[in-house]
Amino acid sequence: MSGPPTGLTTGPMAGPTTGPTTGPTTGPTTRPVRIPVRRGLRVVLAAVLLCVLGTGCGEADAFATESTMARIKQRGVLTVGTKFDQPMFGYKDPASGRITGFDAEIARLLAKDLTGSERNVRFVETVSRERENFITQGVVDLVIATYSITPARAELVSFTDPYYYAGQDLLVRMGDSTINQVTDLGGKTVCTAKGSTSVDRLREQVPTAKLEIVDAYSICIPALISGRVDALSTDDTILLGLLAQHPDTLRLVRKPFGREPYGMGVRKQDTAFRDYLNGLICRWLRDGQWDRAFMSTIGVHGNTAGPSRPANC
């Protein structure tokens, strides 16, 4: 004798059973709730779309209430310390007032991630000697300003992993053939910026050079062109930007004599913010946003990323 059908019953039997019944049924047959296939697919696709857009996967509420990220998100504006006089990295266009350069683009990517729009960023001019002060005093949320990671600075602020690598080089007058490497600076006058790692490296490698230390690299340019100083020394990427403004007057030696890892500077012990930023750096390196920021700024003049691109991730 065949047994009763197995599985869920979806409707009344079409005919009589082929064997004896054991008794009357005790209630109506349970019918499962059916969700139309098309409607179910629409719900799933909508959920996936929200995740892709970053609005429905829980990220908006992932920040601890008192975290730096939560405060910036609630405020709706990211405040970033950067340079205003370094073409290709942080430069204030005199005509439009817009801050341009690689560091500025990195700041805009961060603003977009935290606030939803790259426009929600306020730039504060931050010269080299003020970077630690602006971070510790809370003038800015962080500093993205060709900020070399050093042990001495790490005593005062926290750094992210490197997001860029530069090499120290020399900018000289086009007609000067006497300077072709760092050792040629003996007895020469070299201009550089106060509070930069360039000062220490020059003193170490060329102790007989005469250093003229100023507040901003832009001050060095007229001094170099006029002959008051013999060279300008700092990171090659900064020099490339300055060279682009005076291509017929100045020459880049292109003999780097030191490697500089750039990090974003945040308040000491703010590990949550630092770790969040490290995650973003990795994401930008993987998804192509780092490369697009490079090509739209430094790469415009034909420069390639090469060793400047971090391999942290």
Side-chain angles (χ1 to χ4, degrees):
M1 180 173 69
S2 64
T6 59
L8 290 175
T9 302
T10 58
M13 299 292 289
T17 61
T18 57
T21 60
T22 57
T25 58
T26 57
T29 301
T30 302
R31 295 175 182 267
V33 176
R34 286 184 173 181
I35 299 176
V37 174
R38 290 183 178 177
R39 179 185 171 195
L41 285 174
R42 285 198 299 268
V43 171
V44 171
L45 289 172
V48 171
L49 181 59
L50 286 173
C51 284
V52 171
L53 294 175
T55 58
C57 297
E59 293 184 4
D61 300 320
F63 302 136
T65 305
E66 297 303 318
S67 69
T68 301
M69 298 82 76
R71 288 196 297 270
I72 295 169
K73 189 175 182 65
Q74 183 176 23
R75 187 198 313 147
V77 176
L78 173 71
T79 304
V80 179
T82 196
K83 302 290 183 66
F84 279 16
D85 66 336
Q86 291 181 3
M88 296 191 195
F89 272 84
Y91 182 70
K92 185 173 183 178
D93 186 288
S96 66
R98 179 177 171 82
I99 310 303
T100 62
F102 183 74
D103 282 347
E105 290 308 302
I106 292 295
R108 290 186 175 100
L109 287 176
L110 174 56
K112 184 176 181 180
D113 196 79
L114 280 171
T115 71
S117 173
E118 66 175 25
R119 295 176 179 273
N120 296 332
V121 59
R122 183 172 71 90
F123 293 104
V124 176
E125 183 173 19
T126 306
V127 297
S128 295
R129 61 185 171 82
E130 292 292 355
R131 289 178 293 203
E132 290 82 21
N133 290 334
F134 281 13
I135 292 170
T136 57
Q137 295 169 10
V139 176
V140 297
D141 295 315
L142 77 165
V143 165
I144 310 176
T146 58
Y147 202 1
S148 297
I149 302 169
T150 68
R153 290 170 178 171
E155 292 292 323
L156 303 173
V157 301
S158 287
F159 282 104
T160 64
D161 294 335
Y163 68 93
Y164 192 92
Y165 283 95
Q168 188 169 344
D169 210 329
L170 304 171
L171 196 65
V172 299
R173 287 182 294 278
M174 181 67 79
D176 187 349
S177 60
T178 65
I179 302 176
N180 296 294
Q181 56 188 345
V182 66
T183 54
D184 293 335
L185 294 177
K188 304 282 189 181
T189 303
V190 185
C191 191
T192 192
K194 190 181 300 181
S196 69
T197 56
S198 303
V199 174
D200 296 333
R201 188 172 286 112
L202 286 167
R203 284 174 174 161
E204 177 185 339
Q205 297 199 22
V206 199
T208 58
K210 304 168 188 175
L211 301 187
E212 181 160 332
I213 303 172
V214 298
D215 284 335
Y217 296 111
S218 55
I219 299 173
C220 295
I221 294 297
L224 178 58
I225 292 173
S226 68
R228 191 162 58 82
V229 302
D230 301 300
L232 190 170
S233 183
T234 185
D235 302 343
D236 52 5
T237 43
I238 298 172
L239 296 178
L240 282 169
L242 298 171
L243 176 64
Q245 295 182 324
H246 306 276
D248 299 324
T249 309
L250 303 176
R251 171 176 67 89
L252 185 65
V253 171
R254 298 185 187 275
K255 292 286 183 65
F257 53 96
R259 197 172 191 224
E260 297 287 346
Y262 290 167
M264 304 181 202
V266 302
R267 280 179 285 281
K268 191 72 175 172
Q269 308 303 330
D270 195 349
T271 55
F273 194 27
R274 181 202 64 198
D275 292 347
Y276 162 75
L277 293 170
N278 282 338
L280 286 183
I281 293 169
C282 279
R283 186 207 298 172
W284 297 334
L285 286 166
R286 288 194 305 263
D287 68 11
Q289 293 191 79
W290 189 98
D291 298 281
R292 286 191 289 275
F294 180 92
M295 291 308 298
S296 67
T297 54
I298 305 167
V300 165
H301 298 276
N303 304 305
T304 58
S308 298
R309 193 181 196 277
N312 342 346
C313 308

